[in-house]
DNA sequence: GATGAATGAGGTTTCATTCAT
DNA sequence: AATGAATGAAACCTCATTCAT
């Protein structure tokens, strides 16, 4: 990996940064942004308070770095998942599988966002700042392009704007995962991607 | 209205309470719960700090009252909207129309949740969340019962669990409205409910 | 009684004042001066806050009135007790009996003073303000005059300044009563005044 | 002294703590616990408010530390004073001398209790009181043991329970010192311990 | 470079007092 | 005269940030 080529000093710094971010994620997700102090993060991560400020300009900055990094990983994973297969339906299935996987594996991160928003059923993307919002829109574009290509192929009917379909699919997926998180017994994890896809594939009204 | 029958003193108190809640909603939605001080609310509402505490035990209490009141109104409106028509499709259309209307008319409230959804203050809503979650699930039940009745009527195909369809429809509706809020020109307001319903009604895959 | 001659309005006012003072004594003795609010006193006494301020200029004033009134009663009782008998020893016995009685019957008042001072064995008179201090000194004078008269009679030896003896007797009495209050089983109530007097009457060192 | 062996940082911290306690004692004794704010203590001691809270969890904690420390010193001094001489009478004289000395040298501390005795803040001392009361009783036990030993030696007559005599002596001593503090000209400081002891040694009634 | 003690502004909340009704 | 809602100053305490070591 590229990291190995970095000078030792640089690698050490990166490792420390990761340590800090991981601790912060842990604490933020347990207590919420405003109920975690910088001293608490520093203590838990076993650094001095001042050291935190060598890596991040301020608390907000630390928070942003944390979120952006998680989103990076997330985006990367999804992008890889929809690059491989040719088949549009398979791409969508992969997307659902990978998003679900990451969701399950990053519950602290998910909780960080959800605490507030679930009450009225807003989902993860709510409240993202401009940077994140732009990235989310770009990400939706990738999903939309699957629908687009499917429509061009005549594999999909043109029932709505592809971008709009992407939004719909993503939000339904979010909602499913949140339900599962909230009450796993009542709402089982959608193991089979088709559970979700079918909502879009099988029209509800008999023709 | 019944209010007119209340003694004048009582009416006055209610008016003040509304004033406080409205101001708080305004400020919370602009800056987020933790970035608004009680002093600020009091000043903006033109009351003394202490007066706020005559009406609400503490900041959290004020917040809860605010949220619960808004949810009450919202729930009531939706419930009325889906009671009237017999036709299931028309019920769904009404639901979409009314939810959209209330969304548009209560943007400060909507923003309150967006502003908050940065992982702020878990504990604040510790109690609130449970209450709200239950209410949300109960609300979904009402939507689900529309799908259920439609399936029993053979107006709808049984493509998924009715409750699950309710979640899907609600989340897609939320997502659409948020998109519109974010970028009204790019994502026009879904004036026609069928724009959203069609996603569920017309299967995407040609048969 | 003289009260009956007062105009009804005036009598009513006095009754209200007593009500307020009694409630205040109750609360102060339970929680301490600073932990009782004027609204609390008003509510408990079933008056409006403002009414309290018609009777007492402010909280401090209410407190002073409370203490002075209790001291008045106390002084009066003691004075009566040492007026009657001719015999100096009997006067002292009466004084001890009556002080003990009032102590027992006014535990709330006693507690009001004691809460703080017992820890280092200061007694009731500690912390009294100038007015009260003067009254306390005057009261001691009365006790001192008993010793004085006893010495003149040759009933008592002149082992110390009479005033000083008064102080000593009073402080020993206070201490005994406090011990009893603190741990009634361990330190029984000095039912027989001679228990205390003997300390002064029987020299400790064998001659 | 052991202190000199502590690392410099540690010594510095101790010095600061002492500074804070001394300032707090000063202010508390002048105005009483509830009339001194943490800000005031911090300002007077030339620290920031927050620094106070690094040393003491809260105001109550600061107060407790203050009182306990003073009591420790006091107890230690008295204990030393009554350990040395064999002679019981000399022990009592030493006790009176040392208690008087410490009283005179710690007037702020003495005043702290006088100032407080207005029934302030029961709860604050709920815990403190128990602790202090126990210590006071233990201390009395030490004085009592002097009387006890004197009685066993036949140096003292058995005119009362030794513990009870201890209480009496201590309370008379307190009263004398308070009188002197109140009106030094009128009540001269009992330089000679026998002034007080005689009250107990010479029976008042001629035999 | 790392440390963590010190800072002090700012938050929530209480309550003595006033004054319009 | 009595009321009690309204006031707002001031208390306690936290914590993001800095800087001397």
């Amino acid at each position: 990996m590229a990291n190995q080529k970095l000078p030792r000093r640089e690698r050490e710094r990166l490792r420390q940064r990761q340590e800090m971010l991981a601790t912060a994620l842990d604490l933020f997700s347990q207590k919420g942004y405003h109920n975690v102090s910088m001293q608490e993060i520093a203590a838990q991560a076993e650094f001095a308070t001042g050291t935190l400020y060598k890596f991040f300009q301020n608390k907000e900055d630390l928070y942003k770095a944390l979120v952006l990094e998680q989103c990076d990983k997330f985006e990367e994973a999804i992008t890889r998942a929809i690059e491989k297969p040719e088949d549009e339906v398979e791409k969508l299935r992969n997307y659902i599988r990978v998003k679900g996987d990451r969701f399950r594996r990053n519950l602290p991160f998910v909780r960080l966002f959800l605490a507030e928003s679930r009450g009225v059923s807003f989902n993860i993307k709510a409240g993202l700042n401009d940077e994140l919002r732009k990235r989310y829109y770009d990400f939706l574009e990738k999903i939309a392009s699957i629908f687009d290509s499917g429509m061009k192929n005549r594999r999909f009917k043109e029932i709505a704007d592809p971008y709009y379909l992407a939004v719909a699919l993503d939000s339904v997926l979010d909602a499913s995962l949140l339900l599962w998180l909230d009450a796993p017994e009542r709402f089982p994890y959608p193991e089979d991607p088709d559970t979700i896809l079918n909502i879009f594939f099988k029209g509800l009204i008999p023709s």
Side-chain angles (χ1 to χ4, degrees), chain A:
Chain A
M1 293 291 282
N3 280 359
Q4 308 242 354
K5 298 291 172 57
L6 288 174
R8 194 170 53 76
R9 171 66 59 86
E10 207 56 33
R11 265 180 299 152
E12 179 62 10
R13 273 189 70 82
L14 260 176
R15 211 187 43 69
Q16 289 181 332
R17 201 185 130 101
Q18 288 315 309
E19 194 78 34
M20 289 169 184
L21 287 173
T23 306
L25 173 53
D26 228 47
L27 290 171
F28 283 152
S29 70
Q30 278 171 50
K31 315 191 186 181
Y33 179 81
H34 274 99
N35 299 315
V36 173
S37 70
M38 290 297 266
Q39 5 253 325
E40 201 174 350
I41 298 171
Q44 177 114 336
E46 302 189 285
F47 290 100
T49 325
T51 313
L52 234 54
Y53 282 84
K54 291 277 188 280
F55 286 79
F56 308 97
Q57 275 202 307
N58 51 39
K59 197 181 176 186
E60 176 96 14
D61 193 48
L62 165 58
Y63 181 81
K64 281 186 190 164
L66 175 57
V67 171
L68 286 178
E69 196 196 41
Q70 295 286 330
C71 289
D72 271 346
K73 285 193 202 162
F74 182 84
E75 245 182 83
E76 220 177 292
I78 304 267
T79 304
R80 269 201 311 275
I82 62 179
E83 265 173 354
K84 282 179 296 184
E86 280 308 294
D87 183 343
E88 281 87 8
V89 175
E90 209 51 47
K91 275 178 196 252
L92 291 178
R93 285 192 185 118
N94 264 1
Y95 150 63
I96 292 173
R97 272 189 216 107
V98 169
K99 177 155 181 174
D101 273 9
R102 295 222 71 92
F103 187 98
R104 275 212 275 196
R105 280 204 299 229
N106 291 285
L107 288 186
F109 182 60
V110 171
R111 287 209 177 86
L112 177 51
F113 279 97
L114 294 192
E116 315 303 313
S117 47
R118 195 174 17 190
V120 279
S121 88
F122 289 135
N123 41 21
I124 286 189
K125 58 211 160 302
L128 301 182
N129 65 10
D130 290 342
E131 159 93 27
L132 291 177
R133 200 177 301 145
K134 188 186 172 324
R135 293 171 65 148
Y136 179 58
Y137 288 151
D138 289 351
F139 160 74
L140 283 179
E141 207 88 57
K142 291 181 187 162
I143 306 298
S145 73
I146 304 177
F147 285 110
D148 196 44
S149 127
M151 289 176 185
K152 296 225 168 87
N153 285 349
R154 303 282 167 198
R155 297 207 57 190
F156 295 156
K157 288 198 280 186
E158 298 192 3
I159 64 169
D161 179 274
Y163 196 93
Y164 201 68
L165 280 170
V167 171
L169 176 56
D170 192 55
S171 66
V172 170
L173 181 48
D174 278 344
S176 310
L177 292 169
L178 289 180
L179 279 185
W180 163 76
L181 185 61
D182 227 34
E185 317 85 26
R186 186 166 167 196
F187 307 106
Y189 183 80
E191 215 71 60
D192 178 4
D194 288 346
T195 314
I196 283 157
L197 280 181
N198 274 346
I199 292 183
F200 298 90
F201 288 175
K202 304 185 177 174
L204 189 59
I205 309 235
S207 47

